[in-house]
Amino acid sequence: MTFLSSFLDLSALGIEGGTLVMFGLLVFLLLTGMPLAMVTLLVALLFAIGWFGPAAVPLITSRVYSFVSSFVFVSVPMFVLMAAILDRSGIARDLFDAMKLIAGRVRGGVAVQTIFVAVILAAMSGIIGGEIVLLGLVALPQMLRQGYDRRLAIGVVCAGGSLGTMVPPSIVLIIYGLTANVSVGDLFTAAFVPGFMLAAFYVAYVLFRSYTDPTAAPPPEAEQIGAPARRALLKGLALPLLVVIFVLGSIYGGIASVTEASAVGVAGVILSTIVRREFSFAMLLDAARQTLMTVGMIVWIGIGASALVGVYNLMGGIDFISSLIAGVSDNPTIIVLTMMLILFLLGMFLDWVGIALLTMPIFVPVIRDLGLDPIWFGVLFAMNMQVSFLTPPFGPAAFYLKSVTPPDITLGEIFRSLVPFICLQVLAVGLLILFPQIAVY
């Protein structure tokens, strides 16, 4: 190892050259198809040895331990488990049917009720992928069968299913809170209004298209829902709303921490499946396996990113990047817009977990130095990641939906369908920058 450190001797490059080499090596290794977690760990190890020598290697383990030992991180597998159980139960389907009571009498009602269901599902678990797949299986076929414009239907499912990024309890906000060292409960409170504002933008767009373009959506069905059917539909609405009330109510009411509330949510979802007579140990085991796979990916990305940022910080890189960003302009708004542009470009190619863990330790100190609120910036970051879920070439929402759509719906058509919704998301980002009070009211 001593020979390796003397052979590399990366410290001779200086921080400017070291930054370029580190970035170039990251891009090269990612293009080979190597997983992001392995890439960041490998680069962190090479630079730790090449810059400081073998004695610096234990510093990587200390950085990793500080990340995985956070108590708030326990809430991540809890919310993922909630989503996995929801995915295997009929709760989402019954919830979708129950929304006829709210949106059944307006033109474009099925699209509107899809967005309502997406908000409730997001408020139950904060997971994106499973929500898009659920809506793709439940809502998309119904909209296509009723004659909705295909692009409108596809956009509603993808954009609505991605609301878990913004609507508390969002996993994105939890990871941001861990990396930025800010209260996750405060982040949830700040994201509440912006999340529902974005959902309202989607609803307004659907209604505008439905009433100005007769081919976009069919007229509302004239069927009358009798009292017995109404009661049956309300039963499908009751259990999910109770789970949301218990989870978010316990957080906002100060009764439970985010971690404790996540456990309450898991208990509520399991109890719901028992009441509905859908519970089985096979279903629970299957959901636990999916949770292990998802959380394992998040943990490994977090370990690699924490190690890389830790080494880069010791190299003096964070101060170097901070001075570069601060040198862009004396206007804090221009600096924030520059950060948003960087995040937007990274979001086209990297997973949001990696983006959060790699960039927030650099960006958040700059935000604090500018006298801006890191809670507001966290909501802004989550809104930007909402955009990244839809943007090509690697927008994950499109790939999630493609996995359950008919063969005649291509990825190209899905991405084209998302353009109006991406514009709405960019509008929401702009409003948050212009009016921070939307988040920090």
Side-chain angles (χ1 to χ4, degrees), residues 91 239-240 243 267-278:
I91 293 175
L239 289 174
V243 173
V269 171
I270 292 176
L271 185 60
S272 298
T273 58
I274 292 172
V275 170
R276 294 165 53 87
R277 299 180 181 178
E278 294 175 340

Side-chain angles (χ1 to χ4, degrees), residues 195-213:
F196 284 95
M197 176 186 75
L198 188 58
F201 284 175
Y202 294 163
V203 171
Y205 173 71
V206 167
L207 293 176
F208 174 78
R209 282 287 310 277
S210 300
Y211 282 96
T212 58
D213 182 3

Side-chain angles (χ1 to χ4, degrees), residues 43-401:
V43 174
L45 184 61
L46 287 175
F47 271 81
I49 296 171
W51 200 279
F52 302 104
V57 174
L59 293 172
I60 294 178
T61 58
S62 66
R63 284 282 305 189
V64 168
Y65 178 77
S66 65
F67 171 74
V68 298
S69 62
S70 173
F71 182 61
V72 176
F73 193 77
V74 177
S75 63
V76 175
M78 292 289 103
F79 286 125
V80 175
L81 182 59
M82 283 175 64
I85 295 172
L86 281 172
D87 191 22
R88 286 155 179 77
S89 71
I91 293 175
R93 189 177 297 273
D94 286 354
L95 178 61
F96 181 79
D97 291 339
M99 281 296 163
K100 292 177 184 175
L101 297 173
I102 298 174
R105 296 181 180 273
V106 298
R107 194 179 188 97
V110 178
V112 171
Q113 77 187 62
T114 300
I115 296 170
F116 285 162
V117 170
V119 170
I120 295 174
L121 291 176
M124 289 178 74
S125 66
I127 301 295
I128 295 97
E131 194 176 326
I132 293 172
V133 170
L134 278 172
L135 295 174
L137 291 171
V138 175
L140 185 62
Q142 186 169 338
M143 283 190 280
L144 295 179
R145 187 175 62 251
Q146 291 187 7
Y148 276 77
D149 177 78
R150 279 183 23 146
R151 291 193 180 182
L152 179 64
I154 290 168
V156 163
V157 170
C158 272
S162 301
L163 283 169
T165 309
M166 281 301 303
V167 177
S170 163
I171 303 295
V172 176
L173 292 173
I174 293 173
I175 297 297
Y176 173 86
L178 286 170
T179 55
N181 196 27
V182 296
S183 166
V184 176
D186 289 345
L187 285 169
F188 283 179
T189 304
F192 191 83
V193 171
F196 284 95
M197 176 186 75
L198 188 58
F201 284 175
Y202 294 163
V203 171
Y205 173 71
V206 167
L207 293 176
F208 174 78
R209 282 287 310 277
S210 300
Y211 282 96
T212 58
D213 182 3
T215 64
E221 296 179 352
E223 66 169 319
Q224 296 293 323
I225 301 176
R230 190 181 295 271
R231 282 194 295 271
L233 290 173
L234 284 173
K235 286 181 182 177
L237 193 59
L239 289 174
L241 286 180
L242 280 175
V243 173
V244 171
I245 290 168
F246 280 122
V247 172
L248 295 184
S250 61
I251 295 173
Y252 293 138
I255 301 169
S257 67
V258 172
T259 307
E260 293 161 345
S262 66
V264 170
V266 172
V269 171
I270 292 176
L271 185 60
S272 298
T273 58
I274 292 172
V275 170
R276 294 165 53 87
R277 299 180 181 178
E278 294 175 340
F279 179 81
S280 70
F281 285 104
M283 180 190 76
L284 186 61
L285 185 62
D286 194 26
R289 284 199 190 100
Q290 183 184 335
T291 302
L292 281 172
M293 291 173 60
T294 304
V295 176
M297 177 200 71
I298 293 174
V299 169
W300 274 109
I301 291 175
I303 288 172
S306 297
L308 183 64
V309 170
V311 171
Y312 191 58
N313 189 19
L314 288 173
M315 290 164 54
I318 291 181
D319 291 336
F320 170 66
I321 295 295
S322 298
S323 64
L324 280 181
I325 294 174
V328 169
S329 173
D330 294 331
N331 188 333
T333 303
I334 300 298
I335 294 174
V336 170
L337 287 172
T338 302
M339 291 179 179
M340 290 298 104
L341 178 61
I342 293 170
L343 293 173
F344 178 79
L345 294 174
L346 289 175
M348 293 182 177
F349 305 99
L350 287 181
D351 184 88
W352 68 265
V353 182
I355 295 172
L357 295 167
L358 288 171
T359 60
M360 290 306 106
I362 300 172
F363 286 0
V364 172
V366 177
I367 291 297
R368 287 195 168 104
D369 290 343
L370 291 172
L372 300 175
D373 191 340
I375 298 291
W376 162 75
F377 188 73
V379 178
L380 200 56
F381 166 74
M383 189 72 82
N384 197 307
M385 291 301 98
Q386 172 91 26
V387 181
S388 77
F389 270 96
L390 305 187
T391 48
F394 300 117
F399 289 92
Y400 288 135
L401 183 61

Side-chain angles (χ1 to χ4, degrees), residues 3-63:
F3 169 76
L4 181 61
S5 62
S6 61
F7 174 74
L8 289 173
D9 194 20
L10 294 171
S11 59
L13 295 171
I15 189 58
E16 296 87 350
T19 299
L20 285 174
V21 172
M22 179 180 282
F23 180 75
L25 191 57
L26 280 170
V27 173
F28 171 75
L29 292 175
L30 285 171
L31 289 175
T32 65
M34 189 183 295
L36 177 62
M38 299 302 104
V39 168
T40 49
L41 270 175
L42 177 60
V43 174
L45 184 61
L46 287 175
F47 271 81
I49 296 171
W51 200 279
F52 302 104
V57 174
L59 293 172
I60 294 178
T61 58
S62 66
R63 284 282 305 189

